[in-house]
Amino acid sequence: MKKIKSLVAMMVVITFSYGQDPSFSQFFSSPLNINPALTGNINADWRMIANFRDQWIGPASPYATGSISYDMKIQDKILNVEEKNVFSAGAMLMFDHAMAGVQKSAYGSLNIAYSIVIFDNDETKHRLGIGFGGIYGRRFVDFSRLNFEEQFTGTGFDVNLPTGETALSNMKPYLSSSVGATYSIKSETSNFDIGAALFHLNKPKQTFLEDEHQFIPMRKVIHANFETRLNDRLLFNTNAIYQYQLEASYYSMGGAFGYIMDDSEEIIFNAGLWYWSKNALIPYVGLAYKDLQIGLSYDWTISKLNQATPRPKTFEVTLILRGIKEPTGFIYCPWK
């Protein structure tokens, strides 16, 4: 049994080195991980977001992923540009680990974005945004906590024996870049955004096996969201995303209703449902109070993994805090 566990663990590590970048079920609450052009696309002057995801609790040692990001609009006076155009900057730190910490990853990114008004009348305002990002990352495996076939003695594993894997070595840190664009249409009662982004444009080398052909593949993202106010109390938000990286791809789509709970419009209760393709149904609940938003989701697994005993459990929590120097009107989207 230990031998099987060791081999499975090693397969997970190698597979992960080829796999997708970390993703969140609440992708709408992790904008800087979706598109650098979403930097500063907020109903505030600045925004801070913290995400934490605990995945596959139960049948295996879970994956844990967390991030914290900060983005802000920079005053137009500093850059001496037209008032209707906005320059923004942001940063994000992300970590994830698996197999009880045997495999660990850390990422950091810096983004800049510029948004211009291309059409404006009394009813709608159209904006075009473009963003760029730089990414620093590192992945690490503690090989001393893994067992290999050559260490099996017949009754157990002797970790003092050679592993037989002379090519194993830890990855070196890497630098990569990202670029993205968004198009937005906003009115007094609704907002629509659509965008696309590319990550790891330079395909940085990443290998545990000293293999020149192993690298981080480019990640391609398409996303869209729509928010509107249905009446004095009820709001509606819907969004979707598609990501493709190497041979792995997925899409997620869904929406939530928001109910304004007080006359001052400072408290909003949100509830909704998302579908992650061939993976999970994701119910979501959230509460917004003034400039603070808290969201909780659960992945109800619908893939073959749900046959595991015990059934895997995945939770995700998000905290969003905004800062507003001057009133910007009602916040129709709780995640902006």
Side-chain angles (χ1 to χ4, degrees):
M1 181 61 68
K2 288 184 179 180
K3 181 177 180 180
I4 295 175
K5 288 183 178 180
S6 302
L7 295 175
V8 170
M10 195 62 201
M11 289 174 62
V12 170
V13 172
I14 300 301
T15 300
F16 190 86
S17 68
Y18 281 100
Q20 288 182 305
D21 292 344
S23 298
F24 292 100
S25 296
Q26 298 181 46
F27 61 90
F28 39 82
S29 296
S30 185
L32 273 62
N33 191 41
I34 294 175
N35 190 338
L38 289 174
T39 304
N41 186 3
I42 51 180
N43 295 314
D45 296 298
W46 60 265
R47 170 182 58 186
M48 182 177 292
I49 303 177
N51 312 81
F52 181 76
R53 174 179 177 85
D54 218 357
Q55 182 176 349
W56 298 346
I57 305 170
S61 179
Y63 287 91
T65 306
S67 72
I68 184 168
S69 66
Y70 177 86
D71 57 332
M72 64 178 294
K73 298 174 182 176
I74 298 177
Q75 292 181 358
D76 300 329
K77 295 179 181 179
I78 298 177
L79 299 175
N80 194 26
V81 296
E82 295 183 31
E83 183 177 354
K84 61 184 179 181
N85 298 336
V86 179
F87 181 80
S88 303
M92 181 183 69
L93 296 175
M94 179 181 290
F95 76 89
D96 74 331
H97 66 80
M99 295 161 32
V102 172
Q103 184 274 322
K104 298 179 181 179
S105 302
Y107 313 83
S109 67
L110 294 174
N111 293 347
I112 57 172
Y114 190 59
S115 174
I116 62 172
V117 175
I118 60 175
F119 177 78
D120 189 4
N121 59 22
D122 294 336
E123 296 182 356
T124 60
K125 180 180 291 186
H126 295 234
R127 282 187 173 274
L128 177 65
I130 187 169
F132 301 91
I135 303 166
Y136 172 88
R138 183 171 186 181
R139 294 175 178 174
F140 174 82
V141 171
D142 186 352
F143 293 110
S144 66
R145 296 174 61 187
L146 293 175
N147 297 326
F148 297 84
E149 184 176 5
E150 286 76 5
Q151 297 174 324
F152 187 63
T153 62
T155 57
F157 287 88
D158 184 352
V159 296
N160 295 315
L161 294 176
T163 65
E165 302 290 343
T166 58
L168 286 178
S169 64
N170 261 301
M171 294 182 177
K172 297 179 181 179
Y174 67 85
L175 294 173
S176 69
S177 56
S178 62
V179 63
T182 58
Y183 190 86
S184 305
I185 305 173
K186 187 174 183 178
S187 69
E188 291 185 0
T189 59
S190 64
N191 178 79
F192 172 75
D193 299 295
I194 187 169
L198 297 173
F199 290 81
H200 308 305
L201 297 173
N202 56 323
K203 297 181 180 179
K205 177 185 174 182
Q206 282 287 272
T207 176
F208 289 113
L209 302 172
E210 297 297 333
D211 185 350
E212 293 291 337
H213 301 289
Q214 289 190 19
F215 57 88
I216 301 179
M218 189 181 301
R219 174 162 60 103
K220 305 170 185 178
V221 185
I222 300 174
H223 61 92
N225 59 273
F226 175 73
E227 304 90 39
T228 188
R229 184 166 185 163
L230 301 176
N231 55 42
D232 291 341
R233 292 286 185 180
L234 196 60
L235 312 173
F236 177 67
N237 304 275
T238 182
N239 47 55
I241 188 172
Y242 174 79
Q243 293 200 82
Y244 179 87
Q245 190 171 14
L246 196 59
E247 297 300 325
S249 66
Y250 84 93
Y251 67 87
S252 182
M253 59 190 303
F257 287 94
Y259 181 75
I260 304 170
M261 303 180 66
D262 64 328
D263 293 334
S264 63
E265 299 188 343
E266 292 183 338
I267 304 175
I268 308 172
F269 175 76
N270 299 281
L273 182 69
W274 274 260
Y275 170 72
W276 186 324
S277 56
K278 300 179 182 181
N279 181 33
L281 292 173
I282 306 166
Y284 167 90
V285 293
L287 183 67
Y289 174 68
K290 294 184 177 180
D291 300 322
L292 179 66
Q293 164 80 14
I294 299 174
L296 177 66
S297 62
Y298 173 78
D299 287 23
W300 181 266
T301 304
I302 59 175
S303 66
K304 293 182 179 180
L305 190 61
N306 68 0
Q307 300 174 7
T309 303
R311 186 186 180 100
K313 302 177 181 64
T314 300
F315 296 92
E316 196 169 298
V317 62
T318 298
L319 178 66
I320 303 175
L321 179 65
R322 306 173 190 83
I324 300 176
K325 298 176 182 177
E326 297 180 1
T328 57
F330 185 78
I331 298 176
Y332 298 109
C333 180
W335 306 294
K336 282 192 174 182

